[in-house]
Amino acid sequence: MTLGELPDYPWDNLAPYVERAKSHPDGAVDLSIGSPVDPTPEIVRTALREHADAHSYPTTIGTPEARDAVVEWFARSRGVTGLGRANTMLTVGSKEFVATAAFFLRLGAGDTVVYPARAYPTYEIGAVFAGAAGFSGDDPASWPASTKLIWLNSPGNPDGRVLGVDELRAAVERARELGAIIVNDECYAELGWGEWSGERIPSILDDRVTGGDLTNILACSSLSKRSNLAGYRAAYIAGDASLIERLLVARKHAGLIVPAPVQAAVATALGDDEHAREQYHRYRRRREVLLPALQSWGLRIEHSEAGLYLWGTTGHDSWTTIGALADLGIIGGPGVFYGDAGAQYVRISLTATDAQIAEAARRLIAANADQSVHAQ
């Protein structure tokens, strides 16, 4: 794929199924997109209001207060110590960083960008923007010699897969063999379920992974999910200070600056864990309602041990399952949007209200009952 051959935005292909779901007598329940539906915490909104007099240009790297909050959050919530302000920078949401990093790091023809087999499409688009080749693969041994940038995504979107310390370390060791930069997208790191409930999901910046050497290693994360700040476009990166300096120079030229009131909101949100815990438990309750209902309907859930999605298959292709859900008035996300490895899967989001989740579960359970009656 080249810049002149960018594909249509994949979600546009879902439109006929959205209309099909909307024709359900009781209306549609949209479980396709991971956009938060719960309120932005008042403490964060107050910070935004109090810093609304933003007459001066903000800094591209971020205020000292915001970067200190990133450092303190990594130490407190992720077990990553030893970071300082020079190891952090704010970004305008995490998607723009994923899309622009390869270009700003000056990758180009002859270089390869690696990303997971089941991956958010923007990793590949970032390679296209840079004029580099993309390579989809989870096995470090398969990563080609031309690799210059590696994207990990743990916990993963769409599949909720978590990479343990040993897996992260193996990826870092392979990156070092290749002389490549490696970045872990860690946006869902505080949303662990099952065996990860109450356990810290490992960061790529963990000393057990890096051996204390952050050279060519970055983590990126976002407040969209943790703090319901998707509309603020509030995110950050941390890791190798020299890499951050390289990126900073390019981002200054491009004018990619987080607005000053949002920078204040970042500092406040990262400094407050209580609202994040409350949001975690909202998602936990929704997951406990929706997971068994999907399983009873016939969706085999795989991975999904962290994050905001349930990833599963009925054994049919994505569109067949999406159509069956649409007949129930439920809009899901086609797994094929995330690469060929997702062609028989769907992604179901937990980002709907309690009432919507309960209604989706009711329809799924009723449909399963109807199927049982017809089978007799």
Side-chain angles (χ1 to χ4, degrees), residues 36-333:
V37 299
D38 300 302
T40 299
E42 182 58 36
I43 188 174
V44 180
R45 286 184 276 170
T46 297
L48 191 76
R49 288 193 295 267
E50 290 178 348
H51 291 82
D53 181 14
H55 50 271
S56 299
Y57 287 115
T59 60
T60 302
I61 196 168
T63 63
E65 293 80 9
R67 289 150 65 208
D68 285 347
V70 173
V71 169
E72 291 161 9
W73 175 80
F74 264 105
R76 185 178 70 250
S77 298
R78 308 300 312 284
V80 175
T81 58
L83 300 179
R85 286 180 189 169
N87 300 106
T88 67
M89 179 171 62
L90 302 192
T91 64
V92 191
S94 58
K95 183 173 183 176
E96 65 87 354
F97 171 68
V98 172
T100 61
F103 178 74
F104 286 155
L105 290 168
R106 304 194 69 176
L107 273 67
D111 298 330
T112 298
V113 176
V114 168
Y115 43 85
R118 294 176 293 275
Y120 184 54
T122 309
Y123 303 120
E124 181 182 12
I125 296 300
V128 173
F129 286 166
F135 181 87
S136 172
D138 296 324
D139 180 5
S142 72
W143 298 343
S146 56
T147 299
K148 293 295 185 291
L149 175 62
I150 299 159
W151 288 102
L152 304 180
N153 182 204
S154 174
N157 174 15
D159 59 6
R161 179 188 179 200
V162 172
L163 300 178
V165 168
D166 291 344
E167 291 168 297
L168 289 171
R169 187 191 304 116
V172 166
E173 289 173 352
R174 176 60 173 156
R176 287 173 172 161
E177 290 174 0
L178 294 165
I181 295 164
I182 186 166
V183 188
N184 190 24
D185 182 346
E186 301 183 354
C187 289
Y188 301 94
E190 291 182 284
L191 295 167
W193 317 114
E195 66 178 294
W196 292 106
S197 180
E199 296 291 328
R200 278 180 177 160
I201 291 174
S203 171
I204 198 171
L205 304 181
D206 193 306
D207 280 350
R208 295 172 295 172
V209 175
T210 68
D213 179 5
L214 295 178
T215 303
N216 280 346
I217 302 173
L218 293 173
C220 65
S221 193
S222 164
L223 288 163
S224 294
K225 278 69 176 179
R226 176 189 188 271
S227 302
N228 297 329
L229 298 190
Y232 283 46
R233 310 314 299 135
Y236 45 91
I237 60 175
D240 183 350
S242 64
L243 274 183
I244 287 176
E245 182 62 30
R246 285 174 59 190
L247 288 162
L248 176 62
V249 171
R251 294 173 67 82
K252 284 180 177 179
H253 282 293
L256 287 170
I257 308 173
V258 176
V262 176
Q263 296 196 28
V266 168
T268 297
L270 282 174
D272 180 68
D273 294 331
E274 182 57 32
H275 77 270
R277 280 192 291 268
E278 290 176 2
Q279 190 59 45
Y280 171 87
H281 288 297
R282 288 190 190 106
Y283 286 132
R284 177 183 56 79
R285 290 191 296 270
R286 291 167 186 166
R287 188 177 187 274
E288 289 173 350
V289 170
L290 192 55
L291 174 60
L294 286 165
Q295 290 173 320
S296 74
W297 181 70
L299 196 69
R300 186 178 78 248
I301 303 298
E302 296 184 6
H303 291 301
S304 306
E305 57 258 34
L308 293 180
Y309 312 107
L310 295 168
W311 176 251
T313 179
T314 59
H316 302 287
D317 69 88
S318 292
W319 293 112
T320 297
T321 305
I322 289 295
L325 288 168
D327 289 339
L328 300 179
I330 298 171
I331 306 168

Side-chain angles (χ1 to χ4, degrees), residues 17-18 20-24 26-33 290 325-326 328-333 348-349 351-364:
Y17 297 89
V18 172
R20 190 161 150 188
K22 287 180 177 178
S23 70
H24 189 277
D26 296 320
V29 178
D30 192 347
L31 304 180
S32 65
I33 303 293
L290 192 55
L325 288 168
L328 300 179
I330 298 171
I331 306 168
I348 305 298
S349 176
T351 55
T353 66
D354 292 348
Q356 290 169 327
I357 293 288
E359 174 61 16
R362 184 193 67 78
R363 295 181 192 182
L364 290 161

